[in-house]
Amino acid sequence: MDLLVVEALAKRFTIHALAREVVAFDAVSFTLRAGQLLLVRGPNGVGKSSLLRCLYRTYLPDAGRALYASTRGPIDLVRAADPDIALLRREEIGHVTQFLRPRPRVSALDLVAEPLIVAGVAPAEARRVAGERLDELGVKRAIWSAFPTTFSGGEQQKVNLARALIAPRRLVLLDEPTAALDPRARDALRERVAALKAEGVALIGVFHHVEDIAGLVDDEIVLQTPT
Amino acid sequence: MSLADLAHPRYDYSYGFLDEHARRELRRRILKAIAIPGYQVPYASRELPIARGWGTGGLQATLSVAGPHDTIKVIDQGADDSVNAANLRRFIARMTGVATTTDTTLATIIQSRHRVPEERLRERQLLVLQVPDPEPLRHVQPDSSKAREMHAEADYAQMWLSLYEQLVRFGRFVQGASYPVVVHGRYLMSPSPIPRWDTPTLHQAAHLTILAAGREKRLYAVPPYTEVRPIEFDDVFFQVERMAGRVCAVSGARHKFMDELPVAGGGSLFRISDTGYLEKLVRAARGEPVTIGPTYYDAVGRFYQPGVLHEPDAVPPEGGTGHD
Amino acid sequence: MTDQPPAARPLDPPRLVTGGPLLRASGLRKCYGSIVAVAAVDLEIYPGETVGIVGESGSGKSTVLRLLNLEEPADAGDYRLAVPEGAGGNLFTLDRYHRRMLRVQRIGIVYQQPHLGLRMNATSGGNVAERLIMAGERRFAALRAAARGSLAVSEFPAERVDDPPAQLSGGMQQRVQLAKAIALRPALLLLDEPTTGLDVSIQALVLDTLLRLRREQPIATLIVSHDLGVIRTLADRVLVMRAGRVVEHGLTDQVLEDPQHPYTQQLVHARL
């Protein structure tokens, strides 16, 4: 069954102060099934990240449809009400960005465990799983209880990844998750993506180094520079 | 025939001093107060030949209800013979022609400041308490109009908060006289500055109590057989003052409310505060024929109605010990 | 330019979220003399959601909060909470008594200025206990335990439970307010600039508390702030207010990353 059918999706930004419009991408269409990884390719500035953000609704799309088969019924992500999107973000759709905005005074372990706790997992169990994930990505146990606000970019990125991928999701949007990772963490991410696919999770990814997920890609779309 | 013969005989004052309109207004206000137990009824406090704040509220209540067949007792902190009590008694007697007494059991009207007699009041007796400040919410809400809104909504949480604060800070309820009570499960009421010892006497009392403040222009009432409960917690109870161990130096009696009298050379001794009752004890001891009525507290300190007061040794769950 | 309506991009009504909003307010209006503080505000909060209102001083955001706290009557509008005490009616029509009982049982609030929400000279524990007293609790031991428990949840030091707020720091005062607000497990939690001028740990505390409350029961939270950082951290959705009106609303990250209205663009970019 198709999990996500995107038809003629388009996004442009209107900058009122400059009285200008900037086109991010235009007429994007694709279909994604459960367990598939879709790679989004194209030159820099072509709107790859914007596409993911439109699907996550961090950006409001301008035109087109994105029919998503939620467990609660089909819904068009372009027109869905904000509370519905908030619900999908809590339960079904994950977004992994390059940047972590660590909350102050929350330990790395708690930050990673939080989505699981929100999803109803007992705190002790959530922390155990969070520890496993941090371990996989090579975050040393010694800093699990430290605050990620003080971490280096690479370590922050690992915490971010662990947090973004811990909760059960049906659709995961990966926006250059490997940018600042060391080789060991890249391997771990690759294994995690493979495991997610095996569980039936659908993924859409933008990768700077495509070789990081070699052999896992089921399909790809190439965005063209907007005319 | 002279002009004087044709006119009505001249009186210096109306009966009971107050003019007919004032009297009628007061009686109506009193009826309203009885109909809404514990509710403060505003009234037009009249000028009297006594300064406000010296019992003018109680005096107006007494003057407006007294008739020639009444017998009146006036006490001030338990004493019949203090200057204030004697003045008020003489004034009431002159203006109404009532008989006077110091014997609680013989009085039909007892006007009092700061005490309830030790002998139990009966049905058809009237207790008039002088009230300096009728507002029990005063210390939590200085604004009178806001306090009236709180009464209207029975919004009394702040009183229990103040009990909480007292237990936390002092380990006991520190309010002494004027201990607030809830009347008929509805209105919070100040019982006037009677000691806690007297507070339970208002609960399910046989007599009618009228409380009147002259300066503040408010009167309120507790009808006979009305619930009057001091504010307390379900697990930390209101307690009366401890009289155990105090022996009246005059009568040898125990378990009555005692005044403490300093003696030369340091130390102190105790004497029953209710002078009318004490006088009868003394006369009875001399073998004179006197009738002593049943008292609120018996010879071993038990209150006459079981279940109203909790034993002081009921230990509260944490910190607090109720009253000392 | 700011009178321009938001870009017309109508969204569908909610379809996945079931059961309807916990809070629904429509047509809120409030004037002070000739000044229109709130012109026409519609707001819905679904169970578990945290909604923010941002706007500059005088935008009417705090007035909306006071209206929703039933502190003052609205000049017009309909306000409903899906709780038994609401009886399905417009809460603005409740009489004083029922309004007070509803506020005690169902609405918790944390004010920017602690003295608005606290008795500064009562003990901290007493401030929290008063909520339970208002709801009818008359057991001292239970009040004590509840006050301690609620303060502990707010990460308030146990040894200071009997200190009055007047002797506490601003951050500690906010913790007492939060403890008081959540003591009765409210259905609606209102936060008025809860972190202004305070250390970031209050933000973390507020968020932790919201997450925990949300796990226990459906709760709607409204945060009013001029601090976009606070809103970004705490709110799922946000309303941008200007001159008594909502100029834009949406998912918090969407409003901050892809603002549609000229005023919102100005606000967001001014900060960056």
Side-chain angles (χ1 to χ4, degrees), chain A residues 11 14 58 79 84 103, chain C residues 12 15 207 253 258 260 265:
Chain A
K11 172 64 186 172
T14 306
T58 298
R79 297 181 55 92
D84 282 344
R103 278 210 320 284
Chain C
D12 293 336
R15 284 162 50 194
L207 187 65
D253 54 339
D258 185 17
Q260 307 293 306
Q265 290 191 353

Side-chain angles (χ1 to χ4, degrees), chain A residues 100 102-103 105-114 130-131 134 139-141 143-149 151 155 159-160 162-163:
Chain A
L100 172 70
R103 278 210 320 284
R105 221 198 52 154
V106 180
S107 73
L109 193 68
D110 285 344
L111 205 62
V112 173
E114 189 176 277
L134 286 171
V139 179
K140 293 187 193 67
R141 186 178 286 263
I143 61 168
W144 289 2
S145 58
F147 302 151
T149 31
F151 289 5
E155 297 305 293
V159 172
N160 186 31
R163 176 180 157 90

Side-chain angles (χ1 to χ4, degrees), chain A residues 11 13-17 53 56-62 70 72-75 78-90 101 103-106 114 117-118, chain C residues 4 9-18 46-49 155 175 200-201 204-205 207-208 211 215 232-233 236-237 249-251 253-254 257-258 260-262 265:
Chain A
K11 172 64 186 172
F13 296 98
T14 306
I15 302 166
H16 294 279
R53 288 176 183 215
Y56 198 63
R57 273 278 290 278
T58 298
Y59 292 166
L60 265 180
D62 286 280
S70 142
R72 295 164 187 252
I75 189 156
V78 172
R79 297 181 55 92
D82 292 329
D84 282 344
I85 296 291
L87 179 78
L88 289 175
R89 288 175 174 190
R90 281 200 295 275
R101 288 181 189 273
R103 278 210 320 284
R105 221 198 52 154
V106 180
E114 189 176 277
I117 295 173
V118 171
Chain C
Q4 193 175 316
R9 198 167 325 180
L11 299 176
D12 293 336
R15 284 162 50 194
L16 302 182
V17 172
T18 51
Y46 286 80
E49 269 196 320
E155 300 179 12
R175 283 159 208 260
V200 285
S201 67
L205 170 67
L207 187 65
D208 291 346
L211 290 173
R215 282 199 299 278
R232 184 193 280 279
T233 307
D236 301 311
R237 291 191 295 123
H249 64 90
L251 295 158
D253 54 339
Q254 181 255 297
E257 309 273 338
D258 185 17
Q260 307 293 306
H261 191 274
Q265 290 191 353

Side-chain angles (χ1 to χ4, degrees), chain C residues 37-96:
Chain C
V38 173
V41 168
D42 297 345
L43 170 67
E44 289 180 350
I45 308 181
Y46 286 80
E49 269 196 320
T50 299
V51 172
I53 301 184
V54 290
E56 60 203 10
S57 298
S59 61
K61 58 190 195 301
S62 289
T63 305
V64 169
L65 187 106
R66 282 199 297 276
L67 294 178
L68 297 179
N69 193 35
L70 297 172
E71 278 175 52
E72 41 190 308
D75 294 334
D78 189 274
Y79 173 27
R80 288 155 203 268
L81 280 181
V83 296
E85 293 84 349
N90 183 355
L91 301 185
F92 290 134
T93 64
L94 286 181
D95 62 46
R96 286 173 52 103

Side-chain angles (χ1 to χ4, degrees), chain B:
Chain B
M1 184 185 289
S2 69
L3 203 57
D5 295 331
L6 293 170
H8 287 295
R10 177 179 170 274
Y11 299 107
D12 288 337
Y13 299 103
S14 301
Y15 179 79
F17 186 80
L18 299 169
D19 67 78
E20 282 307 308
H21 296 294
R23 221 172 138 74
R24 184 162 59 185
E25 192 226 351
L26 269 159
R27 293 169 73 113
R28 284 179 168 172
R29 299 295 163 177
I30 289 169
L31 283 175
K32 178 169 179 178
I34 293 167
I36 316 172
Y39 172 70
Q40 298 171 44
V41 183
Y43 71 102
S45 185
R46 268 25 184 219
E47 291 298 331
L48 292 170
I50 298 176
R52 294 229 166 116
W54 295 81
T56 50
L59 187 57
Q60 288 176 81
T62 301
L63 290 172
S64 67
V65 299
H69 304 295
D70 277 313
T71 303
I72 189 155
K73 170 181 165 80
V74 180
I75 47 178
D76 185 335
Q77 293 196 320
D80 294 90
D81 51 4
S82 78
V83 173
N84 288 333
N87 278 342
L88 289 170
R89 182 166 57 240
R90 198 165 52 228
F91 181 73
I92 295 165
R94 269 178 62 192
M95 291 296 135
T96 59
V98 296
T100 61
T101 182
T102 61
D103 187 340
T104 299
T105 60
L106 300 178
T108 56
I109 301 175
I110 296 132
Q111 179 171 335
S112 171
R113 174 177 173 267
H114 297 194
R115 273 312 309 276
V116 175
E118 295 288 345
E119 289 167 284
R120 267 184 253 167
L121 299 183
R122 302 180 312 269
E123 291 182 7
R124 309 190 67 79
Q125 282 186 307
L126 168 62
L127 174 65
V128 176
L129 287 170
Q130 299 169 200
V131 179
D133 183 354
E135 185 49 75
L137 295 169
R138 183 83 66 207
H139 82 276
V140 299
Q141 180 48 270
D143 183 332
S144 298
S145 56
K146 289 211 177 96
R148 278 198 287 280
E149 288 177 1
M150 291 167 71
H151 282 298
E153 297 178 14
D155 176 10
Y156 297 138
Q158 282 190 68
M159 298 305 290
W160 272 268
L161 173 61
S162 96
L163 292 184
Y164 174 99
E165 294 287 306
Q166 290 170 28
L167 285 185
V168 167
R169 290 178 192 219
F170 307 109
R172 63 193 174 88
F173 299 148
V174 293
Q175 173 107 38
S178 301
Y179 194 96
V181 293
V182 173
V183 181
H184 196 50
R186 177 58 182 85
Y187 283 102
L188 187 78
M189 182 186 95
S190 164
S192 86
I194 54 175
R196 296 194 306 271
W197 180 263
D198 291 343
T199 307
T201 66
L202 300 178
H203 174 68
Q204 289 294 340
H207 68 278
L208 166 66
T209 306
I210 296 171
L211 304 99
R215 190 183 52 212
E216 303 292 328
K217 305 182 181 64
R218 293 275 184 285
L219 62 83
Y220 47 102
V222 179
Y225 304 109
T226 300
E227 291 279 307
V228 177
R229 298 288 190 180
I231 61 170
E232 61 185 358
F233 286 114
D234 294 353
D235 49 1
V236 185
F237 306 117
F238 165 85
Q239 302 287 344
V240 300
E241 291 88 348
R242 281 178 63 83
M243 292 296 147
R246 298 187 171 186
V247 182
C248 175
V250 178
S251 64
R254 296 165 180 265
H255 298 294
K256 299 291 174 286
F257 194 76
M258 303 282 180
D259 289 335
E260 189 168 359
L261 307 171
V263 293
S268 60
L269 38 90
F270 298 100
R271 189 182 64 195
I272 285 177
S273 149
D274 182 343
T275 58
Y277 176 68
L278 177 59
E279 185 194 338
K280 289 202 287 186
L281 288 183
V282 170
R283 284 169 55 203
R286 288 203 297 258
E288 294 177 30
V290 288
T291 309
I292 298 177
T295 51
Y296 287 109
Y297 295 87
D298 68 13
V300 295
R302 276 186 310 234
F303 191 67
Y304 80 110
Q305 292 183 70
V308 172
L309 288 178
H310 293 273
E311 292 301 316
D313 59 355
V315 177
E318 187 206 326
T321 53
H323 289 292
D324 277 349

Side-chain angles (χ1 to χ4, degrees), chain A residues 6-162:
Chain A
V6 173
E7 297 169 353
L9 195 66
K11 172 64 186 172
R12 72 173 66 89
F13 296 98
T14 306
I15 302 166
H16 294 279
L18 306 176
R20 266 185 69 189
E21 289 212 336
V22 177
V23 176
F25 59 85
D26 209 1
V28 171
S29 299
F30 63 86
T31 298
L32 183 67
R33 287 215 285 277
Q36 280 193 328
L37 169 60
L38 175 77
L39 181 66
V40 182
R41 303 184 62 176
N44 279 341
V46 79
K48 301 189 295 291
S49 291
S50 295
L51 172 61
L52 297 190
R53 288 176 183 215
C54 279
L55 295 174
Y56 198 63
R57 273 278 290 278
T58 298
Y59 292 166
L60 265 180
D62 286 280
R65 299 205 300 167
L67 291 174
Y68 171 73
S70 142
T71 53
R72 295 164 187 252
I75 189 156
D76 180 0
L77 297 178
V78 172
R79 297 181 55 92
D82 292 329
D84 282 344
I85 296 291
L87 179 78
L88 289 175
R89 288 175 174 190
R90 281 200 295 275
E91 296 183 352
E92 301 192 20
I93 303 179
H95 187 211
V96 187
T97 59
Q98 305 166 48
F99 308 107
L100 172 70
R101 288 181 189 273
R103 278 210 320 284
R105 221 198 52 154
V106 180
S107 73
L109 193 68
D110 285 344
L111 205 62
V112 173
E114 189 176 277
L116 271 187
I117 295 173
V118 171
V121 176
E125 171 66 8
R127 285 200 190 86
R128 190 189 62 74
V129 178
E132 275 180 20
R133 297 295 169 84
L134 286 171
D135 205 32
E136 280 173 20
L137 288 164
V139 179
K140 293 187 193 67
R141 186 178 286 263
I143 61 168
W144 289 2
S145 58
F147 302 151
T149 31
T150 63
F151 289 5
S152 69
E155 297 305 293
Q156 283 198 2
Q157 172 76 334
K158 291 178 190 173
V159 172
N160 186 31
L161 260 180

